[in-house]
Amino acid sequence: MYIDIVPNRNSRPAILLRESVREGKRIIKRTIANLSALSLQQAEAIRAVLKGEALAPADGPFEIIRSRPHGAVKAITAAMSRLRLATLLDRKPSHERDLVLAMIAARVLGPRSKLATSRSWGHSTLGESFGVEGADENELYAALDWLLERQDGIEQRLAQRGYSRDGKKGTLQVNYGLLTDARGCPVSLSVFAGNTGDPRTLLPQIEKLQKDFALESVILVGDRGMISQKQIATLNETSGVQWISALKSGAIRKLVDAGCIQLDLFDERNLFELAHEDYPNERLIVCRNPPLAELRTRKRRALLGATVAELEAVKRMVTRGRLKDAEKIGVRVGRVINKYKMAKHVVLQIDTGHFSFRIDEDKVAAEAALDGLYVVRTSLPSEQASSADTVRHYKGLSEVERAFRSLKSNDLQIRPIHHHSENRVRAHLFLCMLAYYVKWHMSEAWRGLLFADEDRERLRERDPVAPATRSDAALEKVASKLLADGSPAHSFRTLLTELATIVRNTCRRTNADPDEGTFEIDTTPNAKQRHALGLIDALRL
C-alpha cells in the first residue's frame, strides 16, 4: 500500500490510499480509501510510515512542549470507575457531579484547600480527566452544597454495598462519627457540634442505621467511652439492637475485690466467661494479655521514676530555702505530678518551708494487679457469638480507628477545615469520607504491593486475646522492604508517587506555527506500574 497524491487544477489534491496488484501481465492501481480530508502533513506522515520510515527519529522534527504527571491520576480514576462512584453520587450526569468526582480524586492524590485544588487542575491530567480544567473555587463550593443535598441517598447506596481531643486550643471544634462495615470500609458519616460528648452521638447513629438503612438487626461495637452504662440502658430497650463494649477499670476492680475474677484462673487460659447480678442479661468475658501487662508495668515504673526524680529536685529546693511559700511549693509540685499523671500514687505533705512525699505502694500494687486485664461485656447471646468471636468483634474497633487515622493523617488531611458555614463543614467531611472509600478499595487491591499483611484469614482466626501479630511473610516484607519478587515494597503514598512518573507528553513539530495541531504520548509503564494498574482494572466491589 502507498499514498498517492493526485493534483487537481481548481481544488485541493486528492489523497488516496492505494495498492498495486497484478492482473495477468498487467499491474493496476486499486484505491482502498479516499483520505482527502487529511492535511498534506498528515498524508506525508502516513506515507513515511508505509515506507517503513521512523516517524520521529531521535534528531527528528518533534518537540515536547508540556509534560504532566498522569499515572497516579489514571489509577485513581480507574478505581473510581470500577467502584461506579459517579452513579453512586447521582445517576444523572452534571457539571456538579464532575466537580465532586474531581475533588474526591484530588484529595486521594494530594489533599489541599479548595482554592489550591482549583489552581492545581493543570499540574497533572486530573482536571482534564474530569473535564473541569477551568473550574474555580466558587464552583467547588457550590458543588459541595450539591453533594450535601445528596448525602442520605449516597450513604444508603454505600450501605447496600456494604472537644479538642488532640490538645489544640483556640480553634473551633467539630465532632464526627464514622460508620464502617466489618472490614473497615466506610459507609456513613455524621457531624455534630464540637461540644457534643461521644455518648450523645450514639443514639442518632442507631436511629440512622435502623431507619435510613432499613436494618432490622444491628450489632453495635463501641468502646467504654462511647457505650456508657446510661446508653446501655437505652439500647436494651431498643428493639433489634445488640451491643458489645467493655467495663471501665473501676468496675473491674470491684469484680476483683469481690472475688468474682480470680487471677489464678489465667495460669491455664487467657479468657473466661462469667455472669454477675450487677450486669443482668449480659455476658462478661474476662481477658488477660501478659505482654500488655508487662508493657504497662514498665511504663508505670518509668513514669514513677521520673516523678520521684523531679519531686526530689523540688524537695532539695525547699531544703535549701529557694522555695518557702507553701502555695508556690504546691504549684511547683502540681506541675510535676500533672506532667506524668501519677498524682493518684503519690502522698504529699506541703507546708511553709516544708515538703515531703512518698509513693503509695498499696495503690501501685492494686493497679498493677489489673495490668493487661480487661472485660468485654455484651448483650449478644452465646449462640450468636462465642466468647472468642465476641472479643474479636470488640478488637475489630481497630479497623475503625485505622479509618480515623487515615482521615486525620497526611493521607487525606481532614484538618484544617477551610470552611466556616455549618453545611460546608459537613460537606467537606463527607467528601473526605468518600475519598477514604476510594483509597480503602485501592489499598485492598494493592495489598500485595504494599507493606500490608496479605494473610487476612489468619487475622480472623487468631487468638482473640493475644497481641496482634503479623504473618511471617508480612514481617519479611517489613524487614527487607522488598516483595517476594525482589522489587521494592511500597506504602500507598509512595506507590502513587511511583505511578506519577508515568507522564503525558504534549508534542508538536519543531518550529511549528502556534496554531498547528499537537499530539500526545504517554510514558510506557514499567512492569511494576503495569501490575499496579492491572490490579486496579480488576478491582471489584
Side-chain angles (χ1 to χ4, degrees), residues 345 356 483:
H345 296 313
S356 64
L483 303 179

Side-chain angles (χ1 to χ4, degrees), residues 15-322:
I15 302 173
L16 305 175
L17 177 62
R18 287 178 163 172
E19 65 176 354
S20 297
V21 296
R22 180 181 293 275
E23 289 187 357
K25 295 183 178 181
R26 293 189 308 157
I27 296 178
I28 62 173
K29 298 177 180 179
R30 184 163 63 194
T31 300
I32 298 173
N34 188 332
L35 305 179
S36 300
L38 300 179
S39 67
L40 288 176
Q41 290 90 345
Q42 291 171 318
E44 291 294 346
I46 296 174
R47 174 180 280 173
V49 170
L50 293 176
K51 289 181 178 180
E53 298 176 2
L55 187 61
D59 57 349
F62 296 104
E63 62 179 350
I64 298 173
I65 60 173
R66 187 186 187 192
S67 294
R68 292 168 295 160
H70 173 60
V73 174
K74 182 177 181 180
I76 295 169
T77 54
M80 294 169 68
S81 176
R82 296 292 298 175
L83 295 172
R84 300 191 292 277
L85 201 62
T87 304
L88 178 73
L89 298 182
D90 197 332
R91 290 181 174 84
K92 184 179 179 181
S94 65
H95 183 56
E96 290 81 5
R97 189 180 78 170
D98 292 339
L99 288 170
V100 171
L101 290 170
M103 284 191 285
I104 292 171
R107 189 148 290 274
V108 178
L109 186 66
R112 48 177 67 88
S113 71
K114 304 303 180 292
L115 175 61
T117 297
S118 68
R119 293 179 177 177
S120 69
W121 297 133
H123 298 169
S124 68
T125 56
L126 192 150
E128 171 191 313
S129 298
F130 292 96
V132 299
E133 299 98 320
D136 61 21
E137 70 275 16
N138 292 320
E139 292 179 76
L140 299 189
Y141 296 147
L144 285 179
D145 298 337
W146 177 93
L147 175 64
L148 188 62
E149 293 173 359
R150 289 157 177 78
Q151 178 173 352
D152 290 345
I154 294 169
E155 289 182 341
Q156 289 179 32
R157 291 189 285 274
L158 277 174
Q160 291 167 2
R161 300 180 177 188
Y163 63 84
S164 179
R165 288 165 168 76
D166 48 20
K168 296 181 183 293
K169 297 181 179 180
T171 58
L172 295 174
Q173 301 298 317
V174 60
N175 282 352
Y176 53 95
L178 183 68
L179 292 175
T180 79
D181 63 15
R183 303 169 300 169
C185 181
V187 297
S188 176
L189 183 136
S190 297
V191 182
F192 305 90
N195 61 354
T196 308
D198 281 348
R200 290 179 59 191
T201 69
L202 179 63
L203 295 181
Q205 297 295 299
I206 298 297
E207 183 177 354
K208 186 172 191 175
L209 286 169
Q210 292 188 308
K211 291 185 177 180
D212 295 354
F213 298 158
L215 298 178
E216 295 181 359
S217 177
V218 175
I219 301 174
L220 187 71
V221 184
D223 61 24
R224 299 171 297 182
M226 176 66 72
I227 305 181
S228 65
Q229 185 60 49
K230 182 179 179 180
Q231 300 299 328
I232 286 173
T234 303
L235 292 176
N236 287 341
E237 297 174 357
T238 305
S239 177
V241 176
Q242 304 283 1
W243 50 268
I244 301 173
S245 186
L247 290 182
K248 293 185 177 181
S249 58
I252 297 175
R253 164 56 57 193
K254 288 183 180 180
L255 292 174
V256 172
D257 291 344
C260 300
I261 297 178
Q262 300 177 21
L263 299 181
D264 56 0
L265 291 175
F266 291 112
D267 293 342
E268 298 180 358
R269 48 185 169 163
N270 57 12
L271 70 81
F272 63 88
E273 186 172 323
L274 61 87
H276 193 275
E277 59 184 6
D278 290 344
Y279 305 94
N281 302 315
E282 293 185 28
R283 297 161 59 206
L284 302 180
I285 303 166
V286 188
C287 310
R288 188 164 198 178
N289 184 334
L292 178 60
E294 184 179 346
L295 175 64
R296 288 183 175 172
T297 299
R298 287 202 308 268
K299 184 175 181 181
R300 184 186 303 104
R301 287 173 181 166
L303 291 174
L304 282 172
T307 302
V308 168
E310 294 200 22
L311 289 179
E312 288 288 358
V314 175
K315 187 176 180 180
R316 287 193 295 271
M317 294 173 67
V318 174
T319 301
R320 294 169 182 169
R322 293 178 58 186

Side-chain angles (χ1 to χ4, degrees), residues 219-223 227 242-246 376-380 385 389-391 393-394 397:
I219 301 174
L220 187 71
V221 184
D223 61 24
I227 305 181
Q242 304 283 1
W243 50 268
I244 301 173
S245 186
V376 175
R377 61 188 301 197
T378 182
S379 64
L380 272 173
D389 284 340
T390 301
V391 176
H393 289 322
Y394 182 74
L397 283 171

